[in-house]
Amino acid sequence: MLVFLLALPFFLYMALLSSELQTRIAKFATTKLQAITQTEISIGRIYFKPFKTIEINDLYVSDDNRDTLFYIHKLSASINWLNLSDSYIWLGHVHLDSAKVYFTNDSTETMNLLRFIDSFGTDTTDTPSDGPPFTLKVSDLQIRKTNFRLKSYQPEYIESGMNYEDMFFKNINLDAENFKLVNAYIFLDINHLSALEQSGIKIDTIQGYFAMDSTGIGIENMHLRLDSTFVRGKKQKLVFSDFAQMSNFLSEIVLDSDIESARIR
């Protein structure tokens, strides 16, 4: 009996290393999360090595309108620190492959990501409160073959050029550091990013410090190359006071630009 009791923690640990058992537990947890968020959440497979790494396949989360919020075909991450009671997650290296991330506003001009986070009872406002903001930090981030969309409510159709009310980037490949998601605000140091926008604009490479917060969407210390066009600048920013203003881009959004040098062809 003594030997069994001493060996029990080892056998429990080995059982927890079973991908099948972990996937069953994860699917049970997603059922509970669906009830809390009133959204659809599903997971194909998960493998968690306690307190070290996690691998997830085919993770799908819808928003409250049953549209895709994000889908991840494959994600692997090393874990530095978790404090779920304070809504704080810190990951080391993260590799994300073949994902779809769609941030959209509804008729109230509230972003679906904010509504999803709000469903957990987390404070997503800029006003002081007793509740901590949801915070996700990633030290080293790699993204491959991913689509990202930032869409306003009922964007106007334009025949040519980039539609800033509906920006849709495909085949994103990103190498970045110091990623931080605080509620719906995003910050990261971009070492390399390439993508194809739905308008046909192809970004060969972009570098700089990216921020999307309550003051706008911008990049500092920017190096941008589009085919034979090259732009270097201290700052390029779309300035607004609320995400809802993106629905009236031409009349309400201000472009704040500080270009140091450029070659346009």
Side-chain angles (χ1 to χ4, degrees):
M1 177 62 72
L2 179 60
V3 173
F4 173 77
L5 291 176
L6 292 174
L8 183 59
F10 170 77
F11 288 119
L12 289 175
Y13 178 79
M14 294 303 295
L16 286 174
L17 291 180
S18 166
S19 176
E20 181 179 355
L21 176 60
Q22 291 178 4
T23 300
R24 288 178 179 272
I25 295 173
K27 289 183 176 181
F28 174 78
T30 57
T31 301
K32 298 297 183 182
L33 287 174
Q34 286 184 117
I36 294 173
T37 62
Q38 296 299 303
T39 63
E40 181 183 348
I41 303 175
S42 63
I43 191 167
R45 175 184 175 275
I46 187 169
Y47 176 68
F48 173 56
K49 189 173 182 179
F51 315 116
K52 290 186 178 181
T53 60
I54 186 169
E55 296 180 5
I56 299 174
N57 288 351
D58 298 319
L59 172 63
Y60 173 80
V61 177
S62 77
D63 61 21
D64 51 354
N65 290 320
R66 294 296 187 267
D67 295 321
T68 299
L69 178 57
F70 60 83
Y71 164 80
I72 300 173
H73 173 60
K74 184 176 181 180
L75 181 149
S76 60
S78 60
I79 301 169
N80 286 349
W81 184 257
L82 291 175
N83 189 337
L84 299 182
S85 62
D86 286 336
S87 304
Y88 182 86
I89 302 172
W90 179 21
L91 304 177
H93 175 78
V94 172
H95 181 89
L96 189 151
D97 185 70
S98 302
K100 300 176 182 178
V101 182
Y102 299 149
F103 293 163
T104 62
N105 288 357
D106 64 5
S107 58
T108 67
E109 292 298 350
T110 304
M111 185 180 290
N112 57 355
L113 177 62
L114 278 175
R115 301 194 305 273
F116 179 77
I117 295 173
D118 278 340
S119 65
F120 292 97
T122 303
D123 178 40
T124 58
T125 66
D126 292 325
T127 57
S129 71
D130 294 331
F134 174 81
T135 301
L136 169 64
K137 293 178 62 178
V138 177
S139 299
D140 180 31
L141 176 63
Q142 289 184 335
I143 296 177
R144 299 291 182 263
K145 296 178 292 184
T146 288
N147 295 344
F148 172 76
R149 192 168 203 166
L150 182 63
K151 182 179 179 181
S152 301
Y153 179 68
Q154 294 183 345
E156 293 186 13
Y157 171 78
I158 62 173
E159 292 187 3
S160 61
M162 185 180 294
N163 186 348
Y164 291 96
E165 296 181 11
D166 183 13
M167 294 183 287
F168 189 14
F169 296 92
K170 301 178 181 180
N171 196 29
I172 295 173
N173 291 285
L174 170 71
D175 292 291
E177 299 173 337
N178 304 317
F179 173 92
K180 181 185 286 187
L181 172 69
V182 182
N183 290 332
Y185 302 155
I186 298 174
F187 312 90
L188 70 157
D189 291 311
I190 299 173
N191 296 324
H192 168 78
L193 183 148
S194 61
L196 177 65
E197 211 276 329
Q198 64 178 346
S199 61
I201 296 174
K202 182 181 179 182
I203 301 173
D204 292 311
T205 186
I206 188 169
Q207 298 172 308
Y209 175 72
F210 175 87
M212 184 177 79
D213 57 22
S214 60
T215 67
I217 302 173
I219 184 166
E220 298 178 357
N221 300 319
M222 178 189 69
H223 293 235
L224 170 66
R225 183 164 61 85
L226 308 172
D227 195 13
S228 58
T229 294
F230 175 80
V231 179
R232 176 179 295 167
K234 292 182 179 180
K235 178 172 60 176
Q236 188 82 353
K237 185 173 183 178
L238 303 175
V239 181
F240 52 75
S241 58
D242 192 287
F243 284 114
Q245 292 178 279
M246 292 293 288
S247 294
N248 299 293
F249 183 87
L250 294 178
S251 60
E252 296 190 33
I253 303 299
V254 176
L255 176 61
D256 183 6
S257 183
D258 187 351
I259 303 297
E260 295 179 306
S261 61
R263 183 186 65 194
I264 301 175
R265 294 180 180 178

